[in-house]
Amino acid sequence: MPFVIAALVALVVILLYKAIRIVPQGYEWTVERWGKYTHTLTPGFHLLVPMVQNVGRRMNMMEQVLDVPSQDVITKDNAVVRVDGVVFYQVLDAAKAAYEVANLEQAALALIMTNIRTVLGSMDLDESLSQRDAINAKLLSVVDEATHPWGVKVNRIEIKDISPPRDLVDAMARQMKAEREKRANILDAEGFRQAAILKADGEKQSAILEAEGKKEAAFREAEARERLAQAEAKATEMVSAAIAQGDINAINYFVANKYVEALQALASAPNQKTLILPMEATGVLGSLAGIAEIARSALERQAAPPPPGRVPPPPQPPLR
C-alpha cells in the first residue's frame, strides 16, 4: 500500500512537471500535439495536457548577431578581394522559423555569403572599395526578401572589411602617388602660366604707359618749338621794323645775337677742348652796346607822350 501511494505521488509530480510551462521573456515556444504543431506559447505561465501536448522548439525572439566568415570574392575587373561581415536579424514568427527551414543560422549564413559574391562580382574594385554603403543596402534588400518566408527580419548587414591582395595594394599606392604627382605638376604648370600671363600683361601696360609718356613729351616738345619759333619770328619782325625806321642798332643787335649763339654752340660741342676767340672782340662789345642802345630807345619811346591827334597803339602781349 505505501508503495502504491508513493507511485501515485511520483506520477502526479511527473504530470505536473509535464503540464506546467513557464516561458522566459524574449522567447517563444511551439506546442505540438502528437508531433503536430498546434500553437505558440508566449512569455509567461502556461498549462499543457501531459502525454498529449509537449514543447516543440524554443525560439529566441530577440535580435541576434551572426558573423559572416571571410571569403575570397572576384570583382568585375578580375581582382580577388577577401570580404567578411556581420548580420543583425530577428525572428518575428516562431512557427515559421521553426518549421520552414531546418537550420536557420546555417541557411541565413549561406544565403548572405552567396549574395555577397553576387553583389561584389558585379562591381569594379574601385567601386567595391568606395561604395560600401551601397553594397550594404543592396545586400540588405536581397537577403531580407529571401528570409521573409522563414519568419525572419534582417535589420542590418554590414561589410566589415574588404582586403585586396598585397601586390594589388602596392600597385594602388603607386597609382595614388603618381596621381598626386600629376596634380602637383599640373598646379605648378598652371602657376607658371598665370605668372607668365601677369608678367606679359605688366610689360604690356608698361609699354603702353611709356608710349603715352613719349607721345606727351613729343607733344610738349613740339609745342615748345612752336612757341620758340613764334618768339623768333616776333623778334625778327621787331628788328625788321626797327631797320625800316633807320635804326642801325637793330642790325647790330641781330648780328650780335646770332654771333653769341654761334659761340655758345661752338663752346658746348663735345669734342671741343680749346675755344679761340677772334681778334675783333671789340666788334662783339660794340654789338652789345648796340643792344643797350635799342633797349634805351625803346624805353624812351614808351615814356614819351603821344603827339596830339594820334592814338597810341595797343600794347603788345608779352611773349610766353
Side-chain angles (χ1 to χ4, degrees):
M1 188 67 180
F3 178 76
V4 175
I5 296 174
L8 291 175
V9 171
L11 180 60
V12 171
V13 171
I14 292 174
L15 292 176
L16 290 176
Y17 178 76
K18 292 289 186 179
I20 297 174
R21 288 290 183 266
I22 299 177
V23 180
Q25 183 66 36
Y27 287 84
E28 289 185 2
W29 294 356
T30 61
V31 177
E32 298 176 356
R33 179 185 297 169
W34 311 115
K36 183 179 178 181
Y37 168 77
T38 57
H39 62 281
T40 302
L41 300 180
T42 58
F45 179 80
H46 299 274
L47 290 176
L48 299 180
V49 179
M51 308 301 296
V52 178
Q53 295 177 330
N54 64 322
V55 176
R57 303 286 182 88
R58 294 174 170 84
M59 303 303 298
N60 187 350
M61 307 300 292
M62 296 178 287
E63 186 175 11
Q64 303 178 61
V65 181
L66 181 63
D67 286 329
V68 180
S70 60
Q71 60 175 333
D72 292 333
V73 178
I74 300 176
T75 61
K76 185 178 180 180
D77 51 354
N78 296 326
V80 180
V81 295
R82 196 162 187 82
V83 185
D84 58 357
V86 61
V87 183
F88 298 86
Y89 72 97
Q90 185 177 9
V91 176
L92 300 181
D93 192 333
K96 290 183 178 180
Y99 300 108
E100 293 293 337
V101 60
N103 190 328
L104 178 61
E105 290 188 359
Q106 183 178 359
L109 189 61
L111 180 64
I112 293 167
M113 294 179 68
T114 302
N115 282 277
I116 286 177
R117 289 194 295 269
T118 302
V119 172
L120 290 180
S122 63
M123 303 175 68
D124 295 335
L125 177 61
D126 294 338
E127 295 177 349
S128 62
L129 293 176
S130 60
Q131 300 182 8
R132 189 167 298 188
D133 292 338
I135 296 173
N136 295 336
K138 189 177 295 186
L139 286 174
L140 179 61
S141 176
V142 174
V143 175
D144 184 49
E145 183 179 358
T147 56
H148 181 71
W150 302 342
V152 176
K153 173 64 177 177
V154 179
N155 297 323
R156 284 182 299 171
I157 298 180
E158 298 290 340
I159 299 297
K160 293 195 297 185
D161 190 20
I162 300 177
S163 302
R166 185 61 187 177
D167 55 347
L168 189 57
V169 173
D170 294 339
M172 292 172 62
R174 291 194 300 270
Q175 179 182 1
M176 181 177 61
K177 182 179 179 181
E179 184 68 23
R180 289 180 177 176
E181 291 178 352
K182 175 184 175 182
R183 292 179 183 176
N185 293 332
I186 292 175
L187 291 177
D188 290 341
E190 186 67 23
F192 290 143
R193 175 177 174 270
Q194 191 67 22
I197 291 175
L198 293 176
K199 182 179 179 181
D201 187 65
E203 292 178 351
K204 175 184 175 182
Q205 294 296 331
S206 177
I208 291 174
L209 293 177
E210 184 179 359
E212 290 180 354
K214 290 181 179 179
K215 176 182 177 182
E216 184 68 19
F219 178 76
R220 297 294 183 182
E221 185 178 356
E223 185 178 3
R225 287 198 301 267
E226 182 181 359
R227 292 185 178 181
L228 180 60
Q230 291 178 358
E232 290 180 353
K234 187 65 176 178
T236 304
E237 183 180 356
M238 293 177 65
V239 171
S240 299
I243 293 172
Q245 295 175 5
D247 192 354
I248 195 62
N249 291 325
I251 300 176
N252 294 333
Y253 162 74
F254 190 76
V255 173
N257 188 24
K258 295 299 182 179
Y259 195 84
V260 171
E261 289 180 359
L263 289 177
Q264 182 181 359
L266 184 62
S268 60
N271 57 352
Q272 182 65 32
K273 301 301 181 181
T274 304
L275 180 61
I276 302 175
L277 293 176
M279 295 297 293
E280 293 82 1
T282 57
V284 179
L285 296 177
S287 299
L288 295 179
I291 297 174
E293 290 294 335
I294 293 175
R296 187 180 303 111
S297 300
L299 291 175
E300 290 177 356
R301 283 197 300 269
Q302 290 180 0
R310 182 179 179 182
V311 180
Q316 296 293 331
L319 296 178
R320 295 183 180 177

